[in-house]
């Protein structure tokens, strides 16, 4: 069921959005060469405890997961792009890390993700490829948000994302994408990262959604890691992922998980 939120309810969702944004900013700042993925998960876990928030991931067990997730963030490294299960891995210079985080604050959920290179980017064309991949997901997210106007359709968001991907030379996987957000992390409507304009559910004021483009460098095929969660590219190429929680209002889209810049 698709639920529309009142202006008051959207205001009540803002603290969750700010908290998720702050956790991602803090985890990124804590990331350097040699940092263990389990340490990053603990940074986020401590912030959840200190805030009195609730993790959306730790007990999460959908049909595609092998078991309850058991951690509070997703950490996807290099050829991993989604649902990366934190494990005993020390990050290396030039790793491409995607972090996805969702939490509930006072009963309302927000969800967001970012990707970045750890330490020094790889030399030459490899580093340029990483930068292009990350920047393309970010530009696709911006395009998707700009298309999230009242009176438009879900397909307008999907098509805007795909246009950016295809212009950069990337193919698009539609198995996983954006989704409704509210009292739970995943709801209707599903928002694929490719689609046709003027098709799909109408974007009405009060709809709150997560828009999340993710692309792989040279394929759109994925497989599940033996950990039962982490999704990796079929050909070993790198992936990147960007996501924000967005409220549709009469005046246009409002990003609830916008991150404050840090020096």
């Amino acid at each position: 069921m698709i639920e529309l939120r009142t202006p008051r309810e959207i205001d009540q969702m803002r603290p969750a959005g700010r908290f998720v944004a702050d956790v991602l900013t803090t985890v990124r700042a804590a990331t350097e060469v040699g940092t263990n993925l389990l340490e990053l998960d603990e940074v986020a876990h401590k912030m959840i405890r200190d805030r009195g928030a609730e993790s959306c991931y730790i007990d999460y067990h959908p049909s595609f997961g092998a078991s309850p997730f058991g951690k509070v963030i997703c950490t996807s490294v290099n050829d991993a792009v989604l649902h990366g299960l934190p494990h005993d891995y020390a990050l290396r210079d030039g790793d491409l890390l995607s972090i996805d985080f969702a939490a509930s604050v006072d009963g309302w959920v927000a969800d967001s993700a970012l990707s970045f290179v750890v330490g020094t980017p790889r030399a030459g064309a490899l580093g340029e490829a990483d930068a292009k991949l990350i920047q393309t997901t970010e530009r696709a997210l911006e395009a998707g948000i700009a298309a999230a106007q009242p009176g438009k359709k879900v397909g307008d968001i999907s098509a805007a994302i795909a246009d950016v991907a295809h212009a950069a030379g990337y193919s698009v996987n539609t198995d996983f994408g954006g989704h409704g957000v509210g009292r739970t992390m995943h709801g209707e409507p599903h928002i694929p990262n490719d689609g046709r304009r003027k098709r799909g559910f109408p974007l009405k004021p009060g709809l709150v959604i997560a828009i999340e483009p993710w692309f792989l460098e040279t394929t759109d095929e994925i497989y599940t890691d033996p950990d039962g969660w982490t999704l990796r590219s079929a050909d070993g190429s790198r992936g990147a992922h960007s996501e924000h929680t967005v409220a549709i209002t009469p005046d246009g889209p409002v990003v609830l998980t916008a991150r404050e810049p840090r020096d």
Side-chain angles (χ1 to χ4, degrees):
M1 180 175 68
I2 296 174
E3 298 184 81
L4 300 180
R5 305 300 175 185
T6 66
R8 180 172 180 270
E9 287 176 323
I10 291 174
D11 282 341
Q12 290 172 342
M13 296 183 74
R14 291 179 184 273
R18 289 193 294 269
F19 175 68
V20 166
D22 191 43
V23 169
L24 284 175
T25 301
T26 301
V27 171
R28 178 170 185 169
T31 303
E32 58 187 23
V33 176
T35 303
N36 194 292
L37 298 180
L38 295 176
E39 293 176 306
L40 297 180
D41 187 73
E42 180 52 36
V43 169
H45 207 157
K46 183 178 186 303
M47 292 183 73
I48 289 171
R49 292 192 298 266
D50 290 348
R51 179 62 174 80
E54 294 183 12
S55 169
C56 292
Y57 290 168
I58 198 162
D59 294 322
Y60 186 53
H61 190 190
S63 59
F64 58 81
S67 60
F69 191 73
K71 303 297 180 185
V72 301
I73 59 172
C74 294
T75 52
S76 302
V77 182
N78 297 334
D79 65 320
V81 67
L82 296 175
H83 308 162
L85 184 63
H87 59 284
D88 184 12
Y89 175 80
L91 289 161
R92 301 171 182 173
D93 211 22
D95 277 347
L96 198 167
L97 175 63
S98 299
I99 301 174
D100 193 356
F101 178 69
S104 175
V105 175
D106 300 325
W108 294 104
V109 171
D111 190 3
S112 188
L114 56 78
S115 295
F116 58 95
V117 172
V118 178
T120 305
R122 297 186 295 173
L126 294 177
E128 293 171 2
D130 289 343
K132 176 186 174 184
L133 185 62
I134 294 168
Q135 291 165 7
T136 301
T137 66
E138 292 172 346
R139 287 190 293 106
L141 177 58
E142 292 171 0
I145 293 169
Q149 301 291 339
K152 297 289 189 178
K153 302 285 185 71
V154 163
D156 292 300
I157 298 174
S158 301
I161 290 170
D163 284 350
V164 174
H166 294 151
Y170 302 121
S171 55
V172 179
N173 179 299
T174 56
D175 292 345
F176 295 91
H179 48 86
V181 180
R183 293 292 188 181
T184 60
M185 178 172 58
H186 288 148
E188 295 295 330
H190 173 60
I191 304 170
N193 288 324
D194 197 354
R196 298 178 64 181
R197 286 179 171 81
K198 301 181 181 180
R199 300 292 181 92
F201 186 78
L203 303 177
K204 302 176 182 180
L207 183 66
V208 182
I209 53 178
I211 301 174
E212 54 176 317
W214 59 275
F215 309 132
L216 300 165
E217 188 177 1
T218 56
T219 185
D220 58 15
E221 297 183 7
I222 53 178
Y223 72 94
T224 304
D225 187 89
D227 67 16
W229 275 100
T230 305
L231 297 179
R232 299 184 181 276
S233 66
D235 64 359
S237 62
R238 291 186 168 198
H241 178 200
S242 294
E243 178 182 16
H244 273 311
T245 295
V246 179
I248 311 298
T249 77
D251 298 322
V254 174
V255 179
L256 300 180
T257 50
R259 293 183 291 274
E260 295 292 333
R262 283 190 178 181
D263 295 334

